Amino acid sequence: MGFLLDWSRVPELDDDPALWAGPLRLMAELEAGAVANPDEGRQVGHYWLRAPDLAPEAYREPIRAAARECLRLAREIHREKKYRTLLLLGIGGSALGPEFLGTALREPEDPMRLMVLDNTDPEGMARVIGPLDLEEVLVVCVSKSGKTPETRNALIEVQAAFARAGVAFEAQAIAISQEGSALWEAAAGWRARLPMWDWVGGRTSVCSAVGLLPLALQGVDTEAFLEGAAAMDAATRAGAAGGGDIMQNPALVLARCWYTLGTGHGDRAMVVLPYRDRLLLFSRYLQQLVMESIGKERDLKGRVVRQRLTVYGNKGSTDQHAFVQQLREGPDDHFTTLIGLWEDGFYGEEVEPGIDAGDYLQGMLLGTREALSAAHPVIGLWMQTVDAFRLGALVALYERAVGLYAFRIGINAYHQPGVEAGKKAAAAVLALKAPLLAAIAALPGGEARTAPELAALAGLPAQQAEVCWHLLTRLAANGQIAATPGGQPSQDRFQAA
């Protein structure tokens, strides 16, 4: 497939290979339809998206139909020659996955350029939407539940912008959501709706319409992308059911490296340095895929384990100037994955006699490998090039390594209770605004109170005073109320504007 995985700069893998028979068996059961999230009674089937024949019979045709519809829609839209910008609304894997793929496979001649709204930042949204000619914008809104606040907020802002410009939104909008969701129902009059399924998580959704439609709209060969992922899946089943040499399974080798280097608890961080501009977002993509899957308080038996596998990194050779000094001479708290490509993609000018920019990039990669591996473990991953097939394979390689590693350490890689806890806490903060404003409105004319006093007047617990100060300070900064600074935050006074 044009890949080389090099673990020669990793200390001897001290974990018994026989201990990985269980993870391989559990992965096979997962692909066969086993329930992965017992607390939700939910299967995990992102592997079926590139191999529908492995899916339960009821899912096979819907998977194929969705992939066909992505291609049909893209071809129809390209024939119209109306839209130049694809504006994607999403959050987490529903935005980062397509953005990573789109950045990696972008070409100057692509029929559409991809832009993303993935945050509920009003200024950020205005900066993206403002310069656009909305007559030439196709909107794709992705939310499985249809209730994700960031995506809903972006949708409201985009719809308002279309209304101000006098452009009909519905004819230029496509929804990707679970059938029956709030978004699915709201999009009944839009140009198209494409399905997501309960058994596909956001961080593993790029082989569904979430990734396929944006790729197809950019002119990428989505069939080759799926073929690459399926080919890597096949290669990473080696050793299952006692067949084959497990050390010929690249996902299992990666997982064994992670286990050895982190002593089974993520004691070292994983630094990822891809040496090509196309892979700029890969470390960000892996942050979500790995950390949301592996960072868990409890194992499958309910014991507190606080598992982790921290991921950070950026682009080589650019960002090695930022942190290779610490990687080389700092504490032994990390290992590094260097990713290189053999094909340059473009042959530039000689910068020295007989030496071009590509030679320098390879020199930086191999030189950094030597410098780092003298002090810390280094994994190397080389690819022939970045094309649709190999990018699909790269995504599948890390998805399966994460799954095998999670089974080995006994955690559930496919739920995210910590994320849900954050969403609930955010909702609780939002609920404080109305009573605070009501308390300010009830003050006698010209009277001002501190945040603790206003919290008490609003009937809020005393421990909420600090959060109330943050809410009130932002409201004052935006002219919705007035504020008088005190000597310290607890003495700041707030009143009606």
Side-chain angles (χ1 to χ4, degrees):
M1 288 186 288
F3 281 81
L4 172 67
L5 178 62
D6 175 13
W7 69 97
S8 64
R9 306 299 177 97
V10 174
E12 183 177 353
L13 301 181
D14 55 9
D15 185 41
D16 183 357
L19 297 174
W20 291 86
L24 285 165
R25 174 181 52 79
L26 291 169
M27 182 66 78
E29 292 175 0
L30 189 77
E31 286 191 283
V35 172
N37 284 338
D39 52 334
E40 300 170 330
R42 185 157 57 87
Q43 298 168 301
V44 169
H46 50 278
Y47 303 116
W48 305 332
L49 298 170
R50 53 253 195 176
D53 288 344
L54 297 179
E57 189 171 355
Y59 301 155
R60 294 174 190 172
E61 183 51 31
I63 292 171
R64 295 189 184 100
R68 289 195 301 266
E69 181 62 5
C70 289
L71 279 174
R72 188 201 67 78
L73 264 174
R75 289 166 180 160
E76 177 182 273
I77 289 165
H78 292 162
R79 284 194 298 269
E80 295 171 6
K81 296 182 179 180
K82 177 181 178 182
Y83 303 111
R84 299 178 60 190
T85 299
L86 165 59
L87 183 59
L88 178 68
L89 319 182
I91 190 71
S94 298
L96 182 55
E99 188 176 17
F100 159 57
L101 299 180
T103 299
L105 297 173
R106 182 173 57 222
E107 299 292 349
E109 65 273 15
D110 285 351
M112 299 180 71
R113 62 171 180 161
L114 173 65
M115 302 191 76
V116 178
L117 294 182
D118 62 354
N119 193 11
T120 182
D121 175 358
E123 182 186 39
M125 289 188 279
R127 293 181 69 182
V128 171
I129 299 168
L132 296 177
D133 179 351
L134 296 181
E135 293 277 4
E136 299 178 344
V137 173
L138 183 77
V139 178
V140 174
C141 184
V142 184
S143 174
K144 184 162 70 172
S145 69
K147 299 178 181 178
T148 310
E150 295 91 341
T151 307
R152 178 205 60 199
N153 296 356
L155 177 59
I156 291 171
E157 293 288 351
V158 170
Q159 287 176 316
F162 270 76
R164 288 193 298 270
V167 179
F169 174 79
E170 291 79 4
Q172 297 179 203
I174 298 172
I176 302 176
S177 188
Q178 194 166 336
E179 292 189 28
S181 74
L183 175 59
W184 185 270
E185 297 303 324
W190 293 11
R191 175 161 188 160
R193 297 182 296 185
L194 290 165
M196 292 181 74
W197 298 283
D198 186 55
W199 37 267
V200 178
R203 60 188 176 277
T204 54
S205 64
V206 291
C207 289
S208 72
V210 172
L212 297 182
L213 181 61
L215 284 178
L217 288 168
Q218 287 181 263
V220 174
D221 185 347
T222 56
E223 292 174 324
F225 176 74
L226 293 173
E227 288 168 4
M232 184 60 78
D233 285 344
T236 53
R237 294 188 187 102
D245 179 1
I246 67 169
M247 294 309 289
Q248 294 301 312
N249 180 332
L252 190 139
V253 170
L254 267 183
R256 284 195 71 193
C257 289
W258 300 348
Y259 189 91
T260 297
L261 297 174
T263 61
H265 290 91
D267 293 340
R268 283 187 174 100
M270 178 165 65
V271 182
V272 179
L273 285 172
Y275 279 70
R276 189 57 66 86
D277 289 357
R278 286 184 180 273
L279 298 177
L280 169 66
L281 295 179
F282 188 52
S283 56
R284 279 187 61 200
Y285 174 78
L286 286 185
Q287 277 184 330
Q288 180 176 24
L289 175 65
V290 175
M291 295 175 71
E292 193 169 357
S293 299
I294 302 303
K296 301 293 162 64
E297 179 184 25
R298 297 180 181 272
D299 65 12
L300 292 169
K301 296 180 179 179
R303 299 173 298 195
V304 174
V305 291
R306 298 199 180 279
Q307 282 285 356
R308 65 194 183 277
L309 183 53
T310 304
V311 180
Y312 67 93
N314 215 317
K315 183 177 65 177
S317 63
T318 306
D319 293 288
Q320 69 186 47
H321 294 277
F323 46 69
V324 163
Q325 171 64 32
Q326 178 173 311
L327 298 184
R328 176 64 174 79
E329 299 186 7
D332 187 22
D333 61 356
H334 65 276
F335 63 94
T336 304
T337 300
L338 302 176
I339 303 175
L341 304 183
W342 289 311
E343 289 184 12
D344 288 341
F346 173 79
Y347 185 81
E349 300 296 321
E350 288 189 354
V351 295
E352 294 177 10
I355 300 293
D356 62 27
D359 294 321
Y360 256 98
L361 188 63
Q362 184 181 49
M364 293 293 184
L365 189 161
L366 296 175
T368 301
R369 178 172 174 257
E370 291 300 318
L372 292 180
S373 62
H376 305 285
V378 175
I379 298 170
L381 180 64
W382 276 264
M383 302 166 59
Q384 184 71 26
T385 188
V386 173
D387 56 18
F389 179 89
R390 289 179 182 88
L391 198 62
L394 181 66
V395 166
L397 172 64
Y398 276 87
E399 283 183 354
R400 294 182 76 87
V402 165
L404 289 167
Y405 180 80
F407 282 133
R408 177 66 184 87
I409 61 177
I411 62 165
N412 184 349
Y414 304 109
H415 68 165
Q416 50 279 335
V419 175
E420 298 306 317
K423 292 178 181 178
K424 292 176 182 177
V429 169
L430 292 172
L432 302 178
K433 179 180 177 180
L436 281 174
L437 288 176
I440 288 176
L443 293 175
E447 188 170 323
R449 296 292 182 90
T450 65
E453 291 169 340
L454 287 168
L457 289 172
L460 302 174
Q463 60 266 32
Q464 294 280 25
E466 182 192 12
V467 175
C468 291
W469 178 87
H470 283 284
L471 294 174
L472 293 164
T473 299
R474 176 181 162 273
L475 290 170
N478 287 282
Q480 295 174 264
I481 60 174
T484 303
Q488 56 187 356
S490 63
Q491 296 170 347
D492 292 346
R493 302 179 71 80
F494 302 92
Q495 63 190 102

